[in-house]
Every structure is written in structure tokens, then in C-alpha cells.
């Protein structure tokens, strides 16, 4: 069986086909082209699905809060052009599918579902996937199933407030995790600190230098990790989760963020359970989102 998933992003659309075990058969990536308007973006998504061999169903991941009943994105600070667009209906129309055969879900939920299926979370009953990119997304898996909550808003770790007096967030509130630990926020923090000295704001170089020596780069990465950990501490207190999988572009720095993350967890949670908390780097890279969306085409 050929399963097709699409991962819509602000700059690129990733899509692919896999079999029922998650083995990748084919994958593609094209620019999103938001400047061309929603209709053009929907056309591109449908064309990718056709090229990849979707004949009966397709899973779609999109940033933001999803209206599952209406098949649209309610709110997406990082993808404003697609807010309110009846995405499920429009993709189904372009593909000649019934609406029920286009399964629309939050992109971080899809990434978490993909990592749980055939990535870092294999064999885990409960886990939270955190994606560190333009924003901070979260995908929650409980008892082996994706959990979005009655309104589809569960797992939104990026919009947990850790400092009510902190910087304004695109969601309209202040001090969200996203404003401290996303790749965007990390770049701003590094630039403001003049780090790394050779090229302020370069996160790849910052991570490399943080690994190499106990200098200001490592201190900054510790602080960024600590702020993320403070948000995760609230999750530990509420759900007693023990497994966190970190992905997204900035997720490549998990190894140098981990010490700070654990410090943040200690700040905002309690009990001896922190000894059993595992912080795992994602394994599927940029394929996680579309693989999870493809899995939705299998299980609905």
C-alpha cells in the first residue's frame, strides 16, 4: 500500500510516499510560494500528491491550530496567508477525493506521529515531540496514539508562557517558549550577544563552538535550553511524561541544549522522576512531518 503525506511549511512544502511499515519510497520538496496566494499553494500541494501516487487518501500537516470539523487552519502565527482557508475541501476538490479522505492535522503532531512510528520514539507509549524551527511546535503521543485534545490544541508547548513579562509572541501573548527557544529566537539571542564572535547569529557555528569549549557560546546554549526546559517542566508536572524527542532545524543542537533543558526541568518540576526523563534527538529529520501525515492516511 502506498501512503502519501504532505508537510506544509512557511518556506517549503515537503511530501513523500512510504509503505505500511514507514519505509520511504519517494519524497520531494518545493518552495511554498506564499506570495502567490493560497490558491497557488493549494495547487502545488495537490500536484505533489498526484506526482507521488495518491489515489484514495492523503495526510496533510500544517502549522497552527486546526479546526478538524471545518478542515481549516484557525490560527497560525507563522503561516498567516493560510488562516481560514478551507484546506481539506480545496485539496479534496483538486484531487477528486471525498473530503473525509484528506486528513488535516497540525504539523508538529504529524512530526511526533512520524517519530513515534519509525523514528526516535519507536516502542514508547507516551512522548512529546518538540520541533525547534521558525517557531516551537509540539506533538503529543499518549498510549501509542496521537493526542490533539477536543479542540486540537494539545501539545502546543511553543505557546506555554514561561515569563509573562517576556517578549511579545506572534500569537498575541507575551513570554511564550517560542520567543526563547525557537531557531528564530536563538538567532536573535546570539546576534544580540555578538555570538559567535566570527559570525553573530550563525546557529550551526554557535553549536560547534559550544561543543568545543566552556565559553560564552556554551553559556548561551545552556540558557536557551534552560528556557525550553522550563516549559517542559510544566508538561512533566501535568502528564508525568518521561520521553521528549527534539527535532526541527535547531533540534540538531539537542546535545548542547540538553544540560540547560535539564536545569530548566529542575526549576519547574519536582520529585525524583527527572532521573528517568529522556531527551532524545529526532531521527527522521525533515521527513518526520510528511511521514506522520502519511501514517494518518493509513489510520485516519
Amino acid at each position: 500500500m502506498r501512503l502519501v503525506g504532505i508537510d506544509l511549511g512557511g518556506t517549503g512544502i515537503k511530501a513523500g510516499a512510504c509503505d505500511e511499515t514507514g519505509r520511504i519510497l519517494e519524497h520531494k520538496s518545493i518552495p511554498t510560494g506564499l506570495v502567490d496566494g493560497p490558491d497557488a499553494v493549494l495547487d502545488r500541494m495537490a500536484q505533489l500528491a498526484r506526482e507521488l501516487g495518491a489515489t484514495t487518501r492523503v495526510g496533510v500537516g500544517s502549522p497552527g491550530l486546526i479546526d478538524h470539523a471545518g478542515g481549516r487552519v484557525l490560527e497560525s502565527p507563522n503561516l498567516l496567508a493560510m488562516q481560514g482557508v478551507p484546506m481539506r475541501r480545496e485539496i479534496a476538490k483538486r484531487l477528486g477525493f471525498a473530503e473525509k479522505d484528506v486528513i488535516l492535522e497540525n504539523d508538529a503532531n504529524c512530526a511526533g506521529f512520524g517519530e513515534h512510528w519509525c523514528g526516535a520514539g519507536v516502542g514508547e507509549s507516551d512522548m512529546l515531540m518538540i520541533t525547534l524551527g521558525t517557531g516551537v511546535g509540539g506533538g503529543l503521543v499518549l498510549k501509542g496514539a496521537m493526542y490533539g485534545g477536543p479542540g486540537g490544541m494539545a501539545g502546543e508547548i511553543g505557546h506555554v508562557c514561561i515569563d509573562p513579562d517576556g517578549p511579545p509572541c506572534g500569537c498575541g501573548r507575551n513570554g511564550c517558549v517560542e520567543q526563547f527557544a525557537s531557531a528564530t529566537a536563538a538567532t536573535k539571542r546570539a546576534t544580540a550577544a555578538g555570538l559567535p564572535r566570527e559570525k553573530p547569529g550563525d546557529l550551526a557555528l554557535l553549536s560547534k563552538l559550544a561543543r568545543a569549549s566552556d565559553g560564552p557560546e556554551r553559556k548561551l546554549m545552556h540558557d536557551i535550553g534552560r528556557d525550553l526546559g522550563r516549559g517542559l517542566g510544566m508538561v512533566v508536572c501535568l502528564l508525568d511524561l518521561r520521553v521528549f524527542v527534539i527535532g526541527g532545524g535547531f533540534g540538531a543542537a539537542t546535545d548542547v541544549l540538553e544540560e540547560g533543558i535539564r536545569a530548566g526541568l529542575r526549576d519547574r518540576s519536582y520529585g525524583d522522576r527527572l532521573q528517568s526523563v529522556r531527551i532524545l534527538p529526532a531521527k527522521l529529520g525533515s521527513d518526520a512531518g510528511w511521514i506522520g501525515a502519511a501514517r494518518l492516511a493509513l489510520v485516519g
Side-chain angles (χ1 to χ4, degrees), residues 118-203:
C118 50
V122 170
E124 301 295 341
S125 173
D126 309 302
M127 57 164 270
L128 178 68
M129 169 82 179
I130 304 106
T131 56
L132 305 180
T134 304
V136 175
L140 185 60
V141 174
L142 296 177
K143 297 188 183 300
M146 181 191 296
Y147 183 76
M153 300 182 189
E156 287 287 346
I157 185 65
H159 296 291
V160 168
C161 174
I162 58 171
D163 180 3
D165 298 318
C169 183
C171 71
R173 298 159 188 84
N174 286 58
C176 294
V177 167
E178 187 166 289
Q179 297 308 305
F180 294 92
S182 64
T184 305
T187 299
K188 289 179 181 177
R189 294 176 73 166
T191 302
L195 297 173
R197 295 182 184 90
E198 297 88 338
K199 193 176 180 183
D202 186 323
L203 295 186

Side-chain angles (χ1 to χ4, degrees), residues 215-255:
E217 290 85 4
R218 184 177 294 178
K219 172 65 165 59
L220 178 60
M221 294 295 275
H222 181 280
D223 290 348
I224 293 168
R226 178 204 61 209
D227 291 334
L228 175 58
R230 286 173 173 169
L232 298 182
M234 301 180 194
V235 179
V236 171
C237 286
L238 185 64
L239 296 174
D240 196 22
L241 280 188
R242 307 298 176 94
V243 179
F244 296 99
V245 176
I246 302 181
F250 190 39
T254 298
D255 59 322

Side-chain angles (χ1 to χ4, degrees), residues 208-219:
K208 180 180 178 181
L209 293 173
R211 292 184 185 101
S213 65
D214 188 12
E217 290 85 4
R218 184 177 294 178
K219 172 65 165 59

